[in-house]
Amino acid sequence: MHDQGYYKEPLWTKNFVILLMINLLIFFSFQLYSPSLPPYLKSLGVEESLLGWYTALSMFAALLVRPFVGALLDCYGRKHIFLFGLSMVFLICTMMFFFPFALALLFLRLLQGVGWGIISTSAATIVADNIPRKRFGEGIGFFSLSSSLALATAPAIALTLPIDVLFCLAAFFMSVTILLAAVLKYNPVSDAMECRNLRFSFEKSALLPTLIIFFGNICYGAVVTYLVIFATDRGIQNISTYYLVYAVTLMVTRPNIGKLVDKKLYVQVMALGIVCMAAAFGIISSATNIYLLDLGAMFYGVGQGAVLTTSQTLSVINAPEHRIGMASATFAMGFDIGIAAGAVFSGVLVNFWGYSGMFTALMAAPLAAGLVFAVAYRKKLFASAV
């Protein structure tokens, strides 16, 4: 029976639990800046037209370092690179408190992006080492749930705290991650011979799943950038309940979605995700009250969880063991670029069609993700996974 073999492989090891805690704290620390840093920078005299560069440069720096980090992880191991990245981000968070100057903060955000690229790629690689292959979907479901919960809760908390407190809190969380990472047990690199021809390249087996999450995350970029403005424009109050419903939906559905992925029900789970994401944007685009917006949050939570879990699983389980770091880096790049593209592209659509028209048009993004999956699956391009 599938279930007997499935549960013989332990998932909830000490290492896995520690990794969940680290991932939660990492994302929580970073998301504390999202709603509070722009108004703080504005108070320091930064023009509104330049505020976006503080985020854009940080993301760009992370994208640049990911391929190098993935190759180094596969060549030299995980521990020292991970600890270096965590320590770097801790120092940057601390320095932000002591250097409240616009130019200094721009430089620190750039370095923070480098650190983010290191630790997020490392964490994804290390957790892939610690999840049994037969339970990979379930494990990735819980791992991504920890980051999603931070994404849903940290911004709301940040809005209630002064900026100097946020800097200290972010630094404290990063200090805890260093302590936790120090007690982790790390797998040795599987093939030291790869170091002789160290290449900073993409992992080919992860490219199609990366393209899928790129289209899927275009929607996320639009939501985090324009949802609050859209709701305010329509007079919808209590917008914070959207994030609460989204978080609860993730908690309830993500682990079960992972189990379905482990049973290789890729088509069914992906179809569910595509339909739910498209439906979510249809509902959001026509929402006139918080109840419809919350309904959209439910559909989006299910859809985003299904697409992310399936694509991330496919990106890693087909990669050679000595290339898991590069597979994680490749997928992470598609994840980040999708959010950035969604934020920029949705802004263009708003200028032409308004907020409602923009959300309606973005129903095409998950459909594009579904098309890529369907073609790849039909041509058996996911190799052993299918």
Side-chain angles (χ1 to χ4, degrees):
M1 294 292 290
H2 171 84
D3 287 341
Q4 292 177 346
Y6 184 83
Y7 288 108
K8 282 182 180 179
E9 298 192 55
L11 173 63
W12 292 96
T13 60
K14 178 182 177 181
N15 253 24
F16 184 67
V17 172
I18 293 175
L19 283 166
L20 291 184
M21 295 171 63
I22 291 174
N23 198 51
L24 176 66
L25 292 175
I26 288 172
F27 271 85
F28 204 96
S29 176
F30 269 80
Q31 289 305 309
L32 286 174
Y33 295 103
S34 297
S36 301
L37 192 59
Y40 175 64
L41 292 169
K42 187 177 179 180
S43 71
L44 295 176
V46 179
E47 296 180 10
E48 289 187 2
S49 60
L50 299 177
L51 292 177
W53 285 102
Y54 283 79
T55 298
L57 287 176
S58 177
M59 182 169 291
F60 183 65
L63 289 172
L64 285 180
V65 302
R66 285 194 190 280
F68 299 94
V69 175
L72 292 172
L73 288 168
D74 288 332
C75 181
Y76 298 109
R78 327 303 199 201
K79 181 176 182 178
H80 298 299
I81 295 171
F82 192 35
L83 287 172
F84 171 78
L86 293 172
S87 301
M88 178 181 178
V89 174
F90 164 71
L91 290 174
I92 292 168
C93 291
T94 304
M95 291 173 70
M96 283 185 166
F97 178 82
F98 291 104
F99 293 93
F101 312 108
L103 188 59
L105 288 172
L106 179 64
F107 178 69
L108 290 174
R109 282 291 283 174
L110 184 65
L111 291 179
Q112 195 174 45
V114 174
W116 171 248
I118 295 173
I119 63 178
S120 57
T121 304
S122 300
T125 303
I126 296 166
V127 80
D129 292 337
N130 285 272
I131 300 176
R133 286 299 175 265
K134 289 186 178 180
R135 303 185 68 176
F136 198 87
E138 182 186 8
I140 283 296
F142 279 110
F143 184 70
S144 56
L145 173 61
S146 64
S147 57
S148 297
L149 289 177
L151 291 171
T153 57
I157 294 175
L159 291 173
T160 66
L161 300 173
I163 191 68
D164 54 346
V165 175
L166 292 182
F167 289 150
C168 294
L169 193 60
F172 171 74
F173 285 150
M174 293 309 303
S175 68
V176 175
T177 65
I178 295 171
L179 297 176
L180 291 173
V183 302
L184 276 175
K185 293 182 179 180
Y186 298 86
N187 291 3
V189 290
S190 60
D191 191 355
M193 295 296 291
E194 286 292 310
C195 295
R196 294 183 179 179
N197 299 303
L198 184 62
R199 294 179 299 169
F200 306 113
S201 60
F202 300 107
E203 170 52 40
K204 293 180 180 180
S205 65
L207 288 176
L208 285 171
T210 299
L211 184 58
I212 291 171
I213 198 58
F214 164 77
F215 284 117
N217 268 16
I218 286 176
C219 299
Y220 188 79
V223 168
V224 297
T225 306
Y226 289 108
L227 182 67
V228 173
I229 300 175
F230 167 71
T232 303
D233 187 61
R234 292 209 163 182
I236 301 175
Q237 299 180 343
N238 300 320
I239 184 63
S240 60
T241 62
Y242 172 93
Y243 298 100
L244 176 61
V245 171
Y246 175 72
V248 171
T249 302
L250 290 175
M251 292 179 63
V252 173
T253 62
R254 189 67 68 87
N256 293 316
I257 287 173
K259 291 180 181 179
L260 294 175
V261 171
D262 288 331
K263 295 179 180 180
K264 296 193 174 183
L265 299 176
Y266 304 113
V267 174
Q268 294 87 335
V269 176
M270 185 62 74
L272 171 68
I274 297 305
V275 170
C276 286
M277 286 184 74
F281 275 76
I283 295 170
I284 291 172
S285 67
S286 59
T288 55
N289 55 63
I290 191 59
Y291 304 108
L292 284 174
L293 213 57
D294 289 346
L295 181 62
M298 290 178 60
F299 274 93
Y300 185 64
V302 174
Q304 198 256 2
V307 173
L308 175 59
T309 303
T310 305
S311 56
Q312 190 167 7
T313 299
L314 290 172
S315 73
V316 173
I317 62 174
N318 284 319
E321 189 173 349
H322 63 273
R323 295 276 292 174
I324 289 179
M326 281 309 309
S328 299
T330 301
F331 186 82
M333 290 182 71
F335 188 95
D336 289 344
I337 295 173
I339 295 176
V344 174
F345 184 57
S346 58
V348 175
L349 294 178
V350 165
N351 288 333
F352 286 98
W353 297 330
Y355 296 113
S356 180
M358 177 268 291
F359 282 122
T360 301
L362 286 180
M363 293 173 66
L367 298 179
L371 180 61
V372 173
F373 175 83
V375 172
Y377 190 91
R378 185 179 182 86
K379 293 183 177 295
K380 298 183 179 180
L381 299 180
F382 292 129
S384 60
V386 298

